Amino acid sequence: MNGAAILALIRNDVRLYFADRRAVLVGVLVPILIAAFFGYVFGGAGMNADAGRIPIAVVDEDQSTVSLAITADLTADKLLQVTTLDRAAAREQVKAGKQNAAAVFPKSFGEQTTKALFSGRDKPQVQLLVDPSQTIGARVIEGLLAQYSMQEISKEAFTGVSGRKAIDDFLGDLDGQDPTPTSADLKALLQTARKLSEMRASAAAGGPGGSGSVQPGFVLSIPYTLAPTEVTSRDTTPYNGYAHSFAGMAVQFILFAGIDAGILLLLTRQRGIWQRLRSAPLRRSEFILARALATTLVGLFQFALIYLAAVLVFKVRIEGSWPGFIGVGIAFCVLNATFGLMLATLGRSAPTTRGFALMATLLLVMVGGAWVPAFVFPRWLQNVSLYAPTRWAIDGLDGATWRGLPFSSEVLPIIVLVGSAAVCLAVAIWRFRWED
Amino acid sequence: MLQVEQLSKRYGDRLALDAISFAVAAGETVGLLGPNGAGKTTAIAMISGIARPDGGRVSLGGVRVTQDANVLKRRVGLVPQDLALYDELSAWANLQLFGGLYGLGAEHLRQRADDALALVGLSGRRNERVKTFSGGMKRRLNIAGALLHDPDLILLDEPTVGIDPQSRNAIFDNLETLKRRGKTLLYTTHYMEEAERLCDRVLILDHGRILADDSVANLVQQYENLEAAFMQLTGGELRDGAEA
């Protein structure tokens, strides 16, 4: 083994990498900037209260107690960013993509809903104007709207003025119908509800019943409360959106460097330098080893700088296993180096190879969840993504950072990455033309 | 020193070398002349061990090149026709790589690189990037890259192509210095005056065959001058085929 030659080749490749300072800057700074952007969009370091809020508009053409109360509930919800608009402006803003949806409470909404609650007839229609590109947001809004509507409508029905009127009207309707055992029971129930409502109103006004015998807030509401808890490395550590975005961008831009290394090898073959390398006492295996090690070192350099920025500026922490984090980083950089070698052996011309390689890389990082987390994919795509080594690299890095997983959880990603590297290396060795 | 016997090479249907044989003695400077596509570069590639012959053999000091190519490669220095340099790196960094490939230790390599740069007159430009060099300077550095491991045999494949007369003259001076130091040179060129000035002996090659193998003096005596010998032996038709 010509160790001196291998070292000379590695040193030379590293020199070549640093000789293009602009490329070095792009390879390190650009992923940091893009990761910062994506990280902010996906919630940042838990400090950005507005991040992730769904923008919706409310059009209140009723201005009733019920509609005003629902609007207030929606406004107070942490998931939503509510703007009150008129119908035309709301439609325009949804159309322009500024609001995910707009809920329109029509005139007499409050009165009709309380009546409809008892009679089941003449339900008012709440129009929900939806941006078709924001279907997930629209579903969230539908759910929250149903929750707050039930809460406020039942409150008004059983304790409010319009509720008592609705009960009276419905009792009047029942009186006009032929008596049946069911209508008699219903009448008794409504009379009880009417009585309770009167007692509560009287209590509120300081009259009889003010002793608190009537439970305040007689409201139909969801019979449980929800306590969303971020399951991260520790209960006290909030989710850091930057941790995932830095994993994704590190993977993407290290792969870009791998492509560059492959293209450099292709170009070297086409230049006189190839003849000089071939005329030296250098074996094929030594040359391949040197190239793989040099590209791995360059990848590790990028990896280290990108994560240094993530830790120092964006408060990303290695909450899990340090050996796991380093192991995934090294395994991925080795994979990247062999991937670059494979490209160089499969490609013929530099421009065509670069084009195909970029396409393959972008597909790998996209499917691997580098841009958006894989859980937003449809189930079939999530299953497909398991065949992309990028997915394992990103999951491994996520595991070592915000998920805080132990080393045992990093073993499988490392095995998959090393295995993929072995496949790429095997193809590279098989296809590598040492002699002309 | 160098023995070439029945060397053959075919690229598809084209016969690039047709069982050529010749010998080069130690310290001798031999010119390999021929038009484009004659087989000069193919012959150099076989002798330097970077391409396998289809037939025949190359021996250096009695040892066949294919037996232990890496040992023999340490005794041969190749100056390729295409510049074998990294433009993005300094002259010094280029030489560090080329010397490193031959396993030279740091101090030895530094000394050899200093000597090589001094020989080609580039000591003052050692830390500058090659892309800032003129064509002639690059050609000289290309030669320096082949000298670091102190080879016995130096193969020069058209080392003066595409440069101005001043640079060419400087390269002649470099090669004459190497000759005086006892190095064996095998030199391919299109330029007859180069061969007349530098070579003890010339081989005229065409269509993969050796048409003449004689001293410059004998050929001049026989054909008036080297160019006349070349034109008469190879014919005057244009050669559009690429150099093999």
Side-chain angles (χ1 to χ4, degrees), chain A residues 2 4-6 8-9 11-13 15-16 18-21 264 268 270-283 286 291 434-436, chain B residues 41 48-52 70 73-74 78-89 93-94 96-98 100-103 129 141-143 145-146:
Chain A
N2 187 348
I6 293 171
L9 281 167
R11 199 166 41 225
N12 191 65
D13 277 2
R15 273 184 179 144
L16 279 171
F18 284 107
D20 189 350
R21 287 186 189 145
L264 178 68
T268 303
Q270 294 161 8
R271 292 159 63 178
I273 201 85
W274 184 249
Q275 287 173 288
R276 176 152 282 159
L277 292 172
R278 290 283 294 107
S279 70
L282 186 68
R283 288 186 175 86
E286 292 165 347
R291 297 296 315 214
W434 184 232
E435 291 183 352
D436 294 315
Chain B
T41 299
S48 60
I50 65 176
R52 277 181 199 276
N70 281 351
K73 280 176 176 180
R74 292 181 190 279
L78 173 68
V79 181
Q81 183 178 338
D82 294 329
L83 289 169
L85 302 167
Y86 285 107
D87 274 353
E88 308 85 343
L89 302 181
N94 269 280
Q96 291 291 304
L97 168 66
F98 305 142
L101 292 175
Y102 290 87
R129 289 191 181 198
L141 186 61
N142 204 30
I143 293 171

Side-chain angles (χ1 to χ4, degrees), chain B residues 9-70:
Chain B
K9 183 73 180 176
R10 182 179 284 280
Y11 293 109
D13 293 337
R14 196 168 66 82
L15 189 61
L17 283 181
D18 187 5
I20 63 167
S21 299
F22 63 90
V24 180
E28 195 177 18
T29 298
V30 174
L32 197 54
L33 310 185
N36 287 336
K40 305 186 296 290
T41 299
T42 301
I44 292 285
M46 309 281 157
I47 295 165
S48 60
I50 65 176
R52 277 181 199 276
D54 293 335
R57 62 190 203 172
V58 177
S59 309
L60 194 65
V63 182
R64 277 183 69 172
V65 166
T66 48
Q67 281 173 346
D68 191 348
N70 281 351

